[in-house]
Amino acid sequence: MSLIALLLDGLAFAGYYVQNTQHAYYTPGLGLQVMITVLLLIMLFTYSGKRFGWFNFATWAHNFTFRYAIIVLSFIINAAVLALYILNATGTNSLIFQ
């Protein structure tokens, strides 16, 4: 699943690159980003591998395993990019496509 998350990140970057070079594709790019974020959210909750690694007694916290951390970070980054896409689509802030 972590490999699929990385492939989805590559697809999201490719969609962003196309939108950045050709400015007429904002709505399909927003739809693509929504689909990728929803797929990553589903992967986040249906991950069947080991989620937590060793327990750190110094900070009293469990650390994510590397594979699960890839999925979590991919979801966080794509959700933040989706928020920027929505801000751009509503005309509130065009930070992502300047």
Side-chain angles (χ1 to χ4, degrees), residues 4-85:
I4 295 171
L6 290 174
L7 291 174
L8 287 174
D9 284 340
L11 181 66
F13 181 74
Y16 172 75
Y17 180 75
V18 167
Q19 285 180 340
N20 206 14
T21 56
Q22 300 173 357
H23 299 290
Y25 295 113
Y26 286 146
T27 306
L30 177 64
L32 177 70
Q33 190 66 35
V34 167
M35 286 186 346
I36 289 172
T37 306
V38 168
L39 283 173
L40 285 168
L41 183 65
I42 291 169
M43 287 173 54
L44 190 67
F45 287 114
T46 61
Y47 181 72
S48 60
K50 188 176 179 183
R51 293 180 185 215
F52 297 106
W54 51 276
F55 184 75
N56 188 355
F57 287 101
T59 60
W60 288 88
H62 282 285
N63 296 327
F64 287 145
T65 58
F66 186 69
R67 290 181 181 178
Y68 189 63
I70 289 173
I71 297 170
V72 170
L73 289 176
S74 176
F75 171 73
I76 290 171
I77 291 169
N78 280 297
V81 169
L82 177 62
L84 290 174
Y85 272 102

